Amino acid sequence: MFLPVSLFLKSVSLGFLSVVFVCLWSGIWRGGFAWDGSFLQFNWHPVLMVTSLVVLYGNAIVLYRVPLHWSRWSCKVCHAGLLFLALVLSMLGLCAAFDFHHANNIPHLYSLHSWTGISTVALFSLQVEIALWFGGFCVFLMPCAPLTFRARMKPLHVWTGVTIFIMSLITSISGINEKLLLTLNGRNGSHAQPYSALPAEALFANSLGIVLIIFGLVVLSILSRHKWKKPGFDDETDRPLLIDTR
Amino acid sequence: MFLPVSLFLKSVSLGFLSVVFVCLWSGIWRGGFAWDGSFLQFNWHPVLMVTSLVVLYGNAIVLYRVPLHWSRWSCKVCHAGLLFLALVLSMLGLCAAFDFHHANNIPHLYSLHSWTGISTVALFSLQVEIALWFGGFCVFLMPCAPLTFRARMKPLHVWTGVTIFIMSLITSISGINEKLLLTLNGRNGSHAQPYSALPAEALFANSLGIVLIIFGLVVLSILSRHKWKKPGFDDETDRPLLIDTR
């Protein structure tokens, strides 16, 4: 049974809505973008992290359930491509935050948000590296590697992938909360209303958080339904990982 | 195949460690407990929420994988009992926060943490209520309700349960982060070191967050492994929900 198109469209729309929300928050409420070490450089951080580690990543991991008649090879290439783009954007997002901290003498990696965030990106990089090494190993060095070995690697790859996505969700919600607490309750007095007065910006950014959670739950719900796996896509024991072009 | 005892013990130990950590944080670093509307009343909030919605809840949802030779009926009673206790403790935890806000003229439900938290508790209450109504309906009103109907309800019940657990994890991490930002960066000047200087309390509470995430991932990992389901516990079509005493 294929994943219903309506649910797939819901997932894509929620992802798109999340990106629009985070762009509007940074671009309008937070004053726009720059790459000069100022607050405007930091504004790239939420946009790039939400777009990469939540939206692109979420769409990449449900790609194998997409109700299109793609070959296994097309799915793999698209999955790898989306994840590679997500990794590059997340690195840029990290740079935006680190540069801003450096330019304003703010210590790096002190909050729980930063601890979960850096662990997520580290795990994601490790996962991509292992997938590349493993893919290269299977394609170039040992094209006849035992298929049972490849099949054993798959559940670990899938589980690590879901772990990274859940950690991204946890990190993004704590990050939005942290940003609102630090800016709306900031000591510079530039804000007429603190976070506790729930000004329009707080309502808007809180809503972004809720949309992200709903998107995350839709993605996890799609992944959890085994009946939506594409027929014949799951029998790794008789098909090589990465080099199968069907 | 049964869930390995070592993994089950790991899950229980991580849960126990989380409760010890949050008790020490509130009891020692934050000054102890009271029920008088002061900061000391608020200290019950993290203890009760972590204990109920993460630790008790997490253990309740993996109970069906516990490598003990319990009957289906014993598992159900223990599952329901742990969740009922979790619901009561989470309500007390909410009261602790609301009373503190009320006594100190702090608005309720403004932060993203509070939005995700109240949604989690609302969904949990709804889930318990539906389970009780549904159980009562099957036992007293329609003991011969079609088993296929009961079987259809189960995946929804399981998925909502996992959703509540993931939302609890998201909420607890943003809550710890929020509490540290508000207290260590507080304007009353009583703290020698802000959060960004990573004083011992921040290190300790951040570690609590990391332990909670690891606990959550171990629980979700146990749930995701279908091979650890107890034999014969999954064929709801031929066994009634709640009234089966095997």
Side-chain angles (χ1 to χ4, degrees), chain A residues 54-203:
Chain A
V54 182
V55 180
L56 281 178
Y57 193 99
N59 280 300
I61 60 175
V62 293
L63 209 74
Y64 288 95
R65 307 281 197 281
V66 173
L68 291 170
H69 294 283
W70 288 4
S71 69
R72 189 183 175 79
W73 175 247
S74 313
C75 276
K76 278 186 180 173
V77 169
C78 200
H79 174 78
L82 278 177
L83 289 177
F84 187 73
L85 180 62
L87 186 65
V88 172
L89 293 183
S90 68
M91 292 296 174
L92 280 174
L94 278 191
C95 284
F98 277 78
D99 277 4
F100 164 71
H101 290 161
H102 188 70
N104 295 275
N105 290 321
I106 298 169
H108 305 300
L109 301 176
Y110 67 87
S111 72
L112 180 53
H113 160 72
S114 64
W115 284 27
T116 59
I118 205 74
S119 312
T120 308
V121 175
L123 195 60
F124 183 25
S125 311
L126 189 71
Q127 167 94 326
V128 169
E129 206 164 325
I130 289 174
L132 286 175
W133 274 99
F134 185 74
F137 175 80
C138 287
V139 174
F140 301 110
L141 291 180
M142 208 176 153
C144 51
L147 291 175
T148 49
F149 172 62
R150 300 174 189 199
R152 262 191 217 152
M153 291 296 285
K154 197 180 166 188
L156 182 66
H157 179 77
V158 171
W159 173 245
T160 312
V162 174
T163 294
I164 294 165
F165 184 65
I166 293 174
M167 286 176 69
S168 300
L169 280 178
I170 290 174
T171 304
S172 59
I173 300 306
S174 61
I176 295 167
N177 208 37
E178 175 171 321
K179 180 68 185 163
L180 288 169
L181 283 163
L182 287 175
T183 52
L184 298 182
N185 292 353
R187 295 178 190 214
N188 56 14
S190 62
H191 294 284
Q193 287 188 299
Y195 194 10
S196 59
L198 211 58
E201 178 182 349
L203 268 174

Side-chain angles (χ1 to χ4, degrees), chain B:
Chain B
M1 189 193 283
F2 279 107
L3 164 70
V5 176
S6 60
L7 191 58
F8 172 63
L9 289 178
K10 203 183 280 176
S11 140
V12 171
S13 313
L14 282 166
F16 182 71
L17 194 65
S18 306
V19 175
V20 170
F21 263 55
V22 74
C23 285
L24 288 176
W25 182 32
S26 279
I28 296 178
W29 298 99
R30 296 277 97 237
F33 305 96
W35 201 271
D36 55 3
S38 70
F39 267 100
L40 300 183
Q41 176 164 356
F42 183 86
N43 288 347
W44 281 112
H45 179 70
V47 170
L48 289 169
M49 300 319 266
V50 162
T51 307
S52 62
L53 281 175
V54 182
V55 180
L56 281 178
Y57 193 100
N59 281 298
I61 58 175
V62 293
L63 208 74
Y64 288 95
R65 307 282 197 280
V66 173
L68 291 170
H69 295 283
W70 287 5
S71 69
R72 189 183 175 79
W73 176 247
S74 313
C75 276
K76 278 186 181 174
V77 169
C78 200
H79 175 78
L82 278 177
L83 288 177
F84 187 73
L85 181 62
L87 186 64
V88 172
L89 293 184
S90 68
M91 292 296 173
L92 280 175
L94 278 192
C95 284
F98 277 78
D99 277 3
F100 164 72
H101 290 161
H102 188 73
N104 294 277
N105 291 320
I106 298 170
H108 305 301
L109 301 176
Y110 66 87
S111 71
L112 180 53
H113 160 73
S114 65
W115 283 27
T116 59
I118 205 74
S119 312
T120 308
V121 175
L123 196 59
F124 183 24
S125 311
L126 190 70
Q127 166 94 326
V128 169
E129 206 164 327
I130 289 174
L132 286 175
W133 274 100
F134 185 73
F137 175 80
C138 288
V139 174
F140 301 110
L141 290 179
M142 207 176 154
C144 51
L147 290 176
T148 48
F149 173 62
R150 300 174 189 201
R152 260 189 218 155
M153 291 297 285
K154 197 179 166 189
L156 182 65
H157 179 77
V158 171
W159 172 244
T160 313
V162 174
T163 294
I164 294 166
F165 185 64
I166 293 173
M167 286 176 69
S168 299
L169 280 178
I170 290 173
T171 304
S172 59
I173 300 305
S174 62
I176 296 167
N177 208 37
E178 175 170 320
K179 180 69 185 164
L180 288 168
L181 284 164
L182 288 175
T183 52
L184 298 182
N185 292 353
R187 296 178 191 214
N188 55 16
S190 62
H191 293 285
Q193 288 187 299
Y195 194 8
S196 59
L198 211 57
E201 178 183 349
L203 268 174
F204 188 82
N206 281 2
S207 307
L208 160 66
I210 299 300
V211 173
L212 282 175
I213 291 181
I214 299 172
F215 169 74
L217 292 174
V218 168
V219 165
L220 292 171
S221 156
I222 292 173
L223 285 179
S224 72
R225 301 292 282 270
H226 292 271
K227 66 178 180 184
W228 291 334
K229 278 186 178 168
K230 289 188 181 178
F233 266 51
D234 205 34
D235 45 347
E236 208 59 52
T237 45
D238 64 350
R239 290 178 187 195
L241 264 176
L242 286 159
I243 56 169
D244 177 13
T245 55
R246 268 174 287 186

Side-chain angles (χ1 to χ4, degrees), chain A residues 188-225:
Chain A
N188 56 14
S190 62
H191 294 284
Q193 287 188 299
Y195 194 10
S196 59
L198 211 58
E201 178 182 349
L203 268 174
F204 188 82
N206 281 1
S207 307
L208 161 65
I210 300 299
V211 173
L212 282 175
I213 291 181
I214 298 172
F215 169 74
L217 292 174
V218 168
V219 165
L220 292 171
S221 156
I222 292 173
L223 285 180
S224 72
R225 303 290 282 271

